[in-house]
Amino acid sequence: MTTIFQAFKIGSGGFITQIDIVADGTQVCHSDAFGAYFWTGSAWRQIVTTTTMPAGDPSVGIDKNGTFAIVIAPSNTQRFYMMFNGYVYRTDNRGAAWSATGFSNITVDANDDDTKTMGPYMAVDPANADVLYVSTPSGGLFVTTNAGVSFSVVSAVGVGTNPTGGSQGGGHLICFDTSSSVVGDRTQIIYVSTYGTGVYRSSNGGTSWTLTTSTPTTHNQMVCDQNGKVYLTRFDDADNVNIHMYSGAWSSVSFGFGSHCRYIAVNPADATKVYACTNGGELVISTNSGAAWTAPCTVVRESSSDVPWLENTNESFFSTAQIKFDPSQSNKLYIAQGIGVWYTTPPTVAGAVTWNSQSAGIEDMVSNWCVSPPNGSPVFAFWDRPFFWGGAPSTYPSSHGVTMSSSVAIQSGWSCDWATADPTFIVGICQGVPATDDTSGFSTDGGQTWSQFATKPSTSGGTIYGGCIAASTSSNFVWLQSNGSGAPFYTTDAGANWTRSTSFGITVTGGWPTNYFINAQVVCADRVTANVFYVYNFNTGSGSDALFKSTDSGVTWTRQSIPAFDGPASFNAQLRSVPGNAGHLFFTSGVASPPHPASQHFYRSSNGGTSFSQVPNVGEVFAFGFGKAIAGGYPAIYIYGYVSGVLGIWRSNDGEQATPTWTSISNGFPAGIYSNVKCIEGDRNTYGTVYVGTVGASFLYGIEAPNQGGFFVKTSGPSSPRVLII
């Protein structure tokens, strides 16, 4: 048998931060977390995979910064350019295969909150597919005239500075004046906006540059219409100047309603019709080339024949990154948005704008956790969206769990668990930012529908969000919050009341989970004995870590051991109890800093945490989980990590043995996806089925299928695992 991995259909809920469309209708887009997509005509297809990227490429690994920009060459729409993980790539077959260019790596952050909705940061000369400009946030502007064989710095336009509060520079925006002449296969008039300095103009194909007079010095997006007029929006419109326009001299317009109109597009069939867009998806319209503008249109989100839950999520904010017309269509405007790609036939008067989803095929959410209860379906927890019930892997969900209030923009599911005594009962932490947007609660039907807890734990500093939660029964849970909020809370009445645990047998002054955005899942319920919990503390205040056990529902705790786990256990540690085996625990410190594999170990205990031992031959484990056993044996253990120095997804059916055996069921990139693995869980009902949560590619699932021929080879040395070659 071999394990086949594919995407579990959830849908787009990350943030599509760029879309490019050219005259023949070719479309590409990319997410802020991972990957890039090509529109096939019926669905988006991921084009950053192990089969499309160059073999042995230096950007391939488990630590990446994602796709920073992608553009189509207007004169050769088979050709795309992409900046991925700080490198620039070229494809001449629409993403079926990429080749590395001669661009030297420059570190970029594709998920920087300030700059990820700016851009695009790359532009191809409309007259010459070999001419590409590439902006870097703080390293300058580069150009190639030979399709990426070599690059040179455009030093005349300088280096971008940082937006207020930004972690990286604002770089450069580039646009070509298609109405200008073409000399030597080069468009002659080009504009470059350098963040912090202003807009430069070249009238000789980029040979020389002049800073325009009275130029705006900051930017968000910049376009040039078919008549040569430049429109520029800014990241910061605090002075109430919303749009700058250039036709030989700069002018500006103030809308007077204070909206951040950061995005702009001109109808390619009629340059008089210009559309600005707020960061909430509201269109502001001009029908006279920017001389006058309407009030903002209200947003109507009317999905969704493709991904049903997109119209059934009650978020109040239509987060926006870019708008762009499809020049192959008549008056069709697209928006790159926080939950996918949408389009509309834009109005010409103020009123309502209806956005329709074109998001099928995009899987770009960041996973947090997954549970697979006995006799039930998996439940997935994500950043930016709470809980999805995984009833059918090939069908998009119609809704997601926990109803958000109308004032909530986004909300995340940080952790969930099924009750040992009643696996149909699921608890989950579901909170937004700020933490007062807390809809944490429970499901009595395996995660299909949810109700909020009657009350929430609180501290002297107010509600603290995030963390991890464990359930023993349908009334007894332990919630360990993050952000340094301290010791865990427990409830014995299904959340009607919460009490902080204070009795640990020793003085504990620290060592509980810190920032909410880490993935420390370090509290668990015993999977046999009711009202028994375990919790890990990475530093009790005396310089040592500790494993604590409670046998009275979380009221009091006893230190079982001082395990001295290696690795940065304060960050992404995972402590889990083994189904059907009282007192059996496994532990990993989680993700370490590169280089990999780090000198970490995988630990287990069979005596309730009184002692731990290292699992032989297993190194750095990023995530692990349990699935159904074979013929009533020990539950299958799935890990994403290193066995005998080889990264991959591994399964053991005899984890209770002194030296477990491990079977490779995937290399380090299941389904060819480069995105890091954050969590993993075996199915509790079907042996061999496993769910893999990624950082930016949602969830994958693996199912066993008969081998289609092939042979096994050793990866290295006599003790290394075998790998099936098909």
Side-chain angles (χ1 to χ4, degrees):
M1 303 289 282
T2 186
T3 302
I4 305 298
F5 283 89
Q6 53 193 309
F8 198 114
K9 284 191 173 182
I10 300 293
S12 180
F15 202 153
I16 300 300
T17 49
Q18 183 194 347
I19 184 170
D20 194 21
I21 313 172
V22 292
D24 67 354
T26 303
Q27 301 183 29
V28 293
C29 69
H30 76 79
S31 169
D32 65 345
F34 167 76
Y37 299 87
F38 165 69
W39 178 246
T40 66
S42 58
W44 295 96
R45 184 181 72 230
Q46 175 66 256
I47 54 176
V48 182
T49 70
T50 55
T51 58
T52 65
M53 297 295 283
D57 190 84
S59 74
V60 176
I62 55 177
D63 299 284
K64 296 167 293 301
N65 289 310
T67 303
F68 188 63
I70 186 170
V71 290
I72 306 164
S75 63
N76 175 9
T77 62
Q78 292 290 316
R79 178 175 292 178
F80 309 158
Y81 293 95
M82 175 178 68
M83 178 177 271
F84 176 75
N85 200 33
Y87 296 87
V88 174
Y89 298 87
R90 189 187 85 210
T91 177
D92 290 313
N93 51 19
R94 295 185 171 179
W98 294 91
S99 59
T101 68
F103 189 84
S104 298
N105 180 262
I106 292 180
T107 299
V108 297
D109 182 1
N111 198 26
D112 177 71
D113 282 340
D114 286 345
T115 60
K116 68 184 180 183
T117 62
M118 294 182 184
Y121 291 107
M122 300 170 71
V124 184
D125 190 326
N128 191 335
D130 291 344
V131 177
L132 169 73
Y133 284 84
V134 178
S135 169
T136 60
S138 305
L141 180 69
F142 295 81
V143 65
T144 178
T145 59
N146 51 21
V149 174
S150 60
F151 286 81
S152 58
V153 178
V154 186
S155 56
V157 301
V159 175
T161 60
N162 282 41
T164 302
S167 63
Q168 64 183 7
H172 312 79
L173 308 183
I174 314 104
C175 65
F176 292 86
D177 178 359
T178 57
S179 70
S180 67
S181 60
V182 176
V183 178
D185 294 328
R186 303 279 293 272
T187 301
Q188 290 300 285
I189 296 179
I190 315 169
Y191 294 92
V192 168
S193 175
T194 303
Y195 199 96
T197 303
V199 178
Y200 291 84
R201 183 179 185 269
S202 173
S203 59
N204 51 17
T207 301
S208 61
W209 299 84
T210 302
L211 185 65
T212 57
T213 303
S214 302
T215 174
T217 57
T218 65
H219 61 231
N220 200 78
Q221 291 185 342
M222 181 173 67
V223 299
C224 186
D225 73 12
Q226 54 267 48
N227 298 323
K229 185 173 184 176
V230 176
Y231 295 85
L232 181 143
T233 63
R234 289 170 34 198
F235 174 74
D236 181 9
D237 59 5
D239 57 2
N240 290 322
V241 175
N242 300 97
I243 295 176
H244 296 263
M245 296 167 285
Y246 183 82
S247 295
W250 285 102
S251 61
S252 62
V253 60
S254 175
F255 295 153
F257 45 75
S259 293
H260 292 270
C261 286
R262 297 177 179 173
Y263 318 101
I264 194 158
V266 181
N267 191 319
D270 184 352
T272 65
K273 294 183 174 60
V274 188
Y275 293 83
C277 188
T278 70
N279 54 351
E282 303 161 304
L283 290 182
V284 184
I285 306 162
S286 174
T287 58
N288 54 8
S289 301
W293 298 80
T294 68
C297 295
T298 57
V299 173
V300 177
R301 183 180 53 228
E302 182 181 282
S303 190
S304 189
S305 58
D306 57 356
V307 184
W309 72 263
L310 293 178
E311 63 179 307
N312 294 326
T313 183
N314 63 329
E315 66 167 8
S316 60
F317 192 72
F318 203 58
S319 51
T320 301
Q322 188 183 16
I323 56 174
K324 194 173 185 73
F325 275 93
D326 179 354
S328 73
Q329 301 282 328
S330 175
N331 199 32
K332 190 174 185 178
L333 181 65
Y334 279 83
I335 187 169
Q337 204 269 332
I339 49 175
V341 173
W342 303 67
Y343 65 89
T344 190
T345 300
T348 56
V349 295
V353 57
T354 298
W355 294 105
N356 302 280
S357 173
Q358 183 184 290
S359 303
I362 297 175
E363 297 289 348
D364 64 339
M365 284 200 285
V366 177
S367 62
N368 279 324
W369 203 238
C370 171
V371 294
S372 176
N375 301 315
S377 296
V379 177
F380 305 115
F382 293 97
W383 272 81
D384 295 356
R385 292 296 174 280
F387 306 115
F388 287 85
W389 178 73
S394 60
T395 302
Y396 289 111
S398 60
S399 62
H400 60 68
V402 185
T403 300
M404 300 183 291
S405 67
S406 60
S407 62
V408 177
I410 59 174
Q411 200 158 50
S412 300
W414 300 113
S415 179
C416 53
D417 193 28
W418 50 275
T420 301
D422 179 5
T424 64
F425 191 92
I426 314 289
V427 293
I429 304 171
C430 173
Q431 297 157 323
V433 181
T436 50
D437 296 329
D438 186 317
T439 56
S440 301
F442 61 92
S443 170
T444 60
D445 55 10
Q448 297 183 64
T449 60
W450 292 79
S451 301
Q452 293 189 41
F453 294 134
T455 64
K456 311 296 191 308
S458 61
T459 68
S460 58
T463 303
I464 304 295
Y465 51 96
C468 47
I469 194 166
S472 177
T473 70
S474 57
S475 60
N476 181 204
F477 335 131
V478 172
W479 183 344
L480 180 59
Q481 297 177 323
S482 60
N483 271 24
S485 64
F489 288 84
Y490 66 88
T491 179
T492 58
D493 53 16
N497 296 278
W498 296 86
T499 305
R500 186 188 290 279
S501 302
T502 58
S503 176
F504 291 89
I506 62 170
T507 300
V508 179
T509 59
W512 304 114
T514 53
N515 292 326
Y516 71 93
F517 50 78
I518 67 175
N519 197 35
Q521 303 278 347
V522 291
V523 62
C524 61
D526 192 274
R527 285 307 187 199
V528 175
T529 309
N531 310 120
V532 172
F533 294 88
Y534 308 91
V535 67
Y536 170 72
N537 181 289
F538 68 84
N539 185 349
T540 60
S542 57
S544 61
D545 55 358
L547 192 287
F548 293 95
K549 178 180 180 180
S550 173
T551 60
D552 58 3
S553 304
V555 178
T556 62
W557 299 81
T558 302
R559 183 171 64 181
Q560 298 293 94
S561 60
I562 305 175
F565 297 131
D566 51 17
S570 63
F571 199 62
N572 287 310
Q574 294 181 13
L575 172 72
R576 308 193 72 173
S577 52
V578 182
N581 292 264
H584 283 219
L585 306 169
F586 281 77
F587 178 88
T588 180
S589 295
V591 180
S593 299
H596 303 286
S599 56
Q600 294 178 209
H601 297 88
F602 191 35
Y603 293 89
R604 64 183 174 189
S605 172
S606 59
N607 54 19
T610 300
S611 62
F612 283 86
S613 60
Q614 296 177 5
V615 178
N617 304 318
V618 180
E620 183 181 10
V621 172
F622 295 79
F624 70 96
F626 305 102
K628 185 176 181 178
I630 286 183
Y634 203 72
I637 304 174
Y638 295 88
I639 68 170
Y640 178 72
Y642 291 86
V643 174
S644 300
V646 178
L647 175 66
I649 296 178
W650 300 83
R651 182 182 64 223
S652 175
N653 296 323
D654 57 2
E656 81 283 10
Q657 298 297 316
T659 303
T661 55
W662 295 92
T663 300
S664 172
I665 62 172
S666 173
N667 61 17
F669 310 107
I673 298 297
Y674 289 154
S675 183
N676 296 355
V677 171
K678 194 173 183 182
C679 56
I680 188 169
E681 180 75 331
D683 191 275
R684 293 285 300 143
N685 309 296
T686 304
Y687 173 78
T689 297
V690 60
Y691 308 103
V692 178
T694 68
V695 182
S698 297
F699 269 85
L700 309 170
Y701 72 103
I703 56 174
E704 287 207 325
N707 292 338
Q708 303 297 314
F711 57 93
F712 284 96
V713 297
K714 289 285 187 180
T715 52
S716 63
S719 62
S720 63
R722 298 188 305 163
V723 175
L724 177 66
I725 306 298
I726 300 295

